[in-house]
Amino acid sequence: VYVIADTSCGPGDAERFGEILLRFARASRSEPGCLDYGVFRSVEQPERYLSVEKYADSPAFEAHRDSPHFRDIGMAELLPLATARDVRVFTDPKTVPPRS
Amino acid sequence: VYVIADTSCGPGDAERFGEILLRFARASRSEPGCLDYGVFRSVEQPERYLSVEKYADSPAFEAHRDSPHFRDIGMAELLPLATARDVRVFTDPKTVPPRS
């Protein structure tokens, strides 16, 4: 299960938002079912962040959403700073071979 | 069709890579079938970039890979700077409703 969470915050909150998001990423990486949690920032819109997450399966993603850090950091600290949020879940990634 | 292209370059090339990637993004956005092309940079690994792309359909993605800028910027300028590259294509995104 791949998850792309696209979140924007107010311009004045961008640095602080990134710091909280990194803390959330570290906590999420400690979940047994979380295989990867990368934090990326838009080059053109510095108040926009992308979390790129990989979970072992759907129950592992549910466990992430039921975790204490999801509640205490995600819901309590990040969500109030978010001005826009779009979360997409993908389950059928295909690797594209390079052009030769 | 959603595409996530994860590319790393050498530490000394990171700023230049980002500039070329933005130029490539602008050219790609001019394709009729390219609906979105975002450029993101890892907060923890500044030499790692993510392109988050959306195409109208598979032929539109093929048109991207057959475009002059794919050859002249992607293959000729970006690829030689890339130290690692992983491109994944997703076709079944589901939007996750927010937790209440």
Side-chain angles (χ1 to χ4, degrees):
Chain A
V1 175
Y2 289 79
V3 179
I4 310 280
D6 185 337
T7 312
S8 295
C9 62
D13 294 323
E15 298 307 319
R16 188 169 147 232
F17 191 90
E19 286 161 21
I20 301 170
L21 190 53
L22 283 181
R23 185 154 43 86
F24 184 58
R26 284 191 290 268
S28 300
R29 285 176 199 138
S30 73
E31 298 164 21
C34 178
L35 308 179
D36 196 16
Y37 198 112
V39 175
F40 295 83
R41 187 173 185 176
S42 168
V43 174
E44 293 162 293
Q45 300 158 269
E47 71 289 353
R48 186 176 170 196
Y49 287 90
L50 218 62
S51 300
V52 181
E53 315 165 31
K54 188 177 169 186
Y55 299 92
D57 48 29
S58 290
F61 178 46
E62 278 305 299
H64 168 71
R65 286 162 63 89
D66 288 331
S67 66
H69 50 269
F70 190 92
R71 185 190 62 222
D72 296 340
I73 305 177
M75 304 288 289
E77 294 192 66
L78 288 173
L79 203 59
L81 298 178
T83 55
R85 183 158 175 74
D86 179 60
V87 180
R88 284 173 200 273
V89 175
F90 304 87
T91 50
D92 73 335
K94 281 183 278 287
T95 299
V96 179
R99 277 267 140 119
S100 56
Chain B
V1 176
Y2 289 78
V3 179
I4 311 280
D6 185 338
T7 313
S8 295
C9 62
D13 294 324
E15 298 306 320
R16 188 171 147 231
F17 191 90
E19 287 161 22
I20 301 169
L21 189 54
L22 282 182
R23 185 155 41 88
F24 184 58
R26 283 191 291 268
S28 299
R29 285 176 199 139
S30 73
E31 299 164 21
C34 177
L35 307 180
D36 197 16
Y37 198 111
V39 176
F40 295 83
R41 187 172 185 177
S42 169
V43 174
E44 294 163 294
Q45 300 159 270
E47 71 289 352
R48 186 175 170 197
Y49 287 89
L50 218 61
S51 299
V52 181
E53 315 164 32
K54 188 175 169 187
Y55 298 93
D57 48 28
S58 290
F61 179 45
E62 278 306 299
H64 169 69
R65 286 163 63 89
D66 287 332
S67 66
H69 49 270
F70 190 92
R71 183 190 64 224
D72 297 338
I73 307 177
M75 304 290 289
E77 295 192 65
L78 289 172
L79 203 60
L81 298 177
T83 55
R85 183 157 175 74
D86 179 59
V87 179
R88 284 174 201 273
V89 175
F90 303 87
T91 50
D92 74 336
K94 282 182 280 287
T95 299
V96 179
R99 275 266 139 123
S100 55

